[in-house]
């Protein structure tokens, strides 16, 4: 069998339209670094970042001002029968979610309850995991699949962008970033040498070339958010490490994830993430 055919079959066996297994674990862990500074799942995290989104909490940065925190609480209610420590806050959480209100008035015990349940309550942890996948992971993978993304690094970038920008169609949302990226290609662009070619506007575009452009578009939105509620305290501009970390991995050709991956932490230092007993390469 021709060597290129063998390589093509091997590549096809490694890639998927959706992250799963170790590759999904890596994607979640990398985003955890950006969100909380380490690879752990901080179910008990809760604070007001003063970024115009109210309280930010849990494993996906669920916010009271954007409504996803209310979705988690409702999911938790469905698992507890609806009579739990969040119940007294329901009317306030619902109102802030409906109004996209960043106020924390009336939520004096919110973080205390979130932290307590996040440490010990299995049902609350399950509610967070379910809503993370339902609201962010699964939609991000579906949006990436529509583009034709096959590489782990591209699919993971969709998840990270979905977590920060949202998977809904606002002026800074993941669908908008994807649309702006694809619209920029008016010719065949095959200089990525990734082995994966996309059909973008009738043109052949290497997937890594598309991904690099996507991150340029994302960086522009981080520096200049279009939506007012993303402009609080210029917070997004302070998170460019999310883009630089992926650029580092691209330069290392960390395209398809199996045993381990290396990315940059929020201080720009390389960090290796392993799958179970796999060893990290010694070379940085």
């Amino acid at each position: 069998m021709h060597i290129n055919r063998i390589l093509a079959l091997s590549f096809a066996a490694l890639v998927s339209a959706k992250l799963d297994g170790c590759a999904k674990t890596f994607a979640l862990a990398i985003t955890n670094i950006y969100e909380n500074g380490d690879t752990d799942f901080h179910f008990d995290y809760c604070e007001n970042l003063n970024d115009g989104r109210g309280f930010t909490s849990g494993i996906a940065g669920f916010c009271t001002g954007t409504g996803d925190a209310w979705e988690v609480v409702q999911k938790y209610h469905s698992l507890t029968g609806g009579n739990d420590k969040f119940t007294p806050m329901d009317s306030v959480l619902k109102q802030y979610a409906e109004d996209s209100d960043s106020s924390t008035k009336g939520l004096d015990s919110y973080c205390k309850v979130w932290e307590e349940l996040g440490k010990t309550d299995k049902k609350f942890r399950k509610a967070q995991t379910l809503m993370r996948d339902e609201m962010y992971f699964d939609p991000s993978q579906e949006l990436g699949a529509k583009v034709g993304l096959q590489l782990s690094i591209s699919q993971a970038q969709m998840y990270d962008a979905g977590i920060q920008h949202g998977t809904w169609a606002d002026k800074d949302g993941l669908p908008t970033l994807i649309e702006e990226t694809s619209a920029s290609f008016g010719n065949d662009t095959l200089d990525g040498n990734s082995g994966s070619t996309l059909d973008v506007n009738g043109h052949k575009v290497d997937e890594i070339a598309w991904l690099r452009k996507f991150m340029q578009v994302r960086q522009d939105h981080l520096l200049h958010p279009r939506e007012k509620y993303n402009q609080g305290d210029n917070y997004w501009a302070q998170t460019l490490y999310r883009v630089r970390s992926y650029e580092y991995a691209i330069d290392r050709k960390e395209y398809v994830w199996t045993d381990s991956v290396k990315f940059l932490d929020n201080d720009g230092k390389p960090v290796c993430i392993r799958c179970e007993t796999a060893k990290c390469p010694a070379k940085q």
Side-chain angles (χ1 to χ4, degrees):
M1 184 179 291
H2 195 278
I3 185 64
N4 288 339
R5 175 63 174 163
I6 296 174
L7 290 173
L9 290 174
S10 298
F11 177 82
L14 288 172
V15 299
S16 166
K18 178 179 178 179
L19 289 169
D20 57 16
C22 287
K24 179 179 179 179
T25 299
F26 294 156
L28 300 179
I30 291 163
T31 293
N32 286 351
I33 292 174
Y34 307 149
E35 292 284 324
N36 299 303
D38 58 46
T39 59
D40 296 335
F41 292 92
H42 292 260
F43 291 94
D44 59 338
Y45 166 72
C46 185
E47 69 175 312
N48 187 349
L49 297 172
N50 296 309
D51 60 354
R53 298 186 174 198
F55 286 120
T56 298
S57 42
I59 60 172
F62 302 109
C63 298
T64 56
T66 60
D68 51 358
W70 172 231
E71 295 294 332
V72 173
V73 170
Q74 290 184 87
K75 179 64 72 173
Y76 181 54
H77 287 336
S78 73
L79 298 175
T80 65
N83 185 17
D84 52 64
K85 294 184 177 181
F86 276 114
T87 303
M89 293 177 261
D90 279 358
S91 61
V92 178
L93 288 170
K94 181 180 180 182
Q95 192 63 54
Y96 289 166
E98 291 176 349
D99 297 343
S100 297
D101 193 334
S102 64
S103 174
T104 58
K105 184 178 180 180
L107 298 176
D108 295 343
S109 61
Y110 175 83
C111 275
K112 181 180 179 181
V113 171
W114 191 290
E115 290 166 0
E116 177 186 341
L117 296 177
K119 285 183 172 72
T120 61
D121 194 307
K122 292 182 179 180
K123 290 181 179 179
F124 187 50
R125 290 186 169 205
K126 181 178 181 180
Q128 291 189 49
T129 299
L130 289 172
M131 294 315 300
R132 177 202 63 206
D133 283 359
E134 182 177 322
M135 298 184 71
Y136 297 105
F137 184 79
D138 291 343
S140 74
Q141 299 307 285
E142 291 168 5
L143 288 167
K146 289 180 180 179
V147 179
L149 302 182
Q150 295 289 318
L151 304 177
S152 306
I153 194 168
S154 306
Q155 295 163 335
Q157 171 65 197
M158 295 302 100
Y159 167 68
D160 186 66
I163 284 287
Q164 184 174 31
H165 296 254
T167 53
W168 44 87
D170 70 11
K171 295 177 183 178
D172 294 308
L174 179 57
T176 299
L177 302 185
I178 291 174
E179 181 180 356
E180 290 182 9
T181 300
S182 293
S184 69
F185 290 97
N187 299 289
D188 289 354
T189 308
L190 300 172
D191 55 358
N193 298 317
S194 70
S196 175
T197 303
L198 309 177
D199 182 354
V200 181
N201 306 322
H203 302 289
K204 295 180 180 180
V205 177
D206 183 87
E207 184 167 335
I208 289 300
W210 187 94
L211 181 59
R212 285 190 183 276
K213 181 60 180 181
F214 175 87
M215 292 193 297
Q216 291 174 7
V217 170
R218 182 181 179 186
Q219 178 167 300
D220 182 62
H221 279 257
L222 291 176
L223 291 171
H224 311 288
R226 279 50 163 181
E227 297 285 0
K228 185 176 180 180
Y229 52 76
N230 293 327
Q231 298 170 5
D233 279 1
N234 202 33
Y235 180 75
W236 270 17
Q238 302 170 42
T239 64
L240 294 180
Y241 49 76
R242 300 178 88 127
V243 172
R244 292 166 184 157
S245 179
Y246 268 84
E247 289 175 339
Y248 168 83
I250 288 177
D251 290 341
R252 285 176 47 82
K253 300 189 184 301
E254 299 265 14
Y255 299 161
V256 179
W257 300 350
T258 52
D259 297 329
S260 66
V261 293
K262 278 190 177 180
F263 273 69
L264 298 180
D265 65 15
N266 299 347
D267 296 320
K269 298 177 181 178
V271 58
C272 179
I273 304 172
R274 300 182 299 169
C275 187
E276 298 178 351
T277 60
K279 295 182 178 180
C280 289
K283 185 177 180 181
Q284 296 291 344

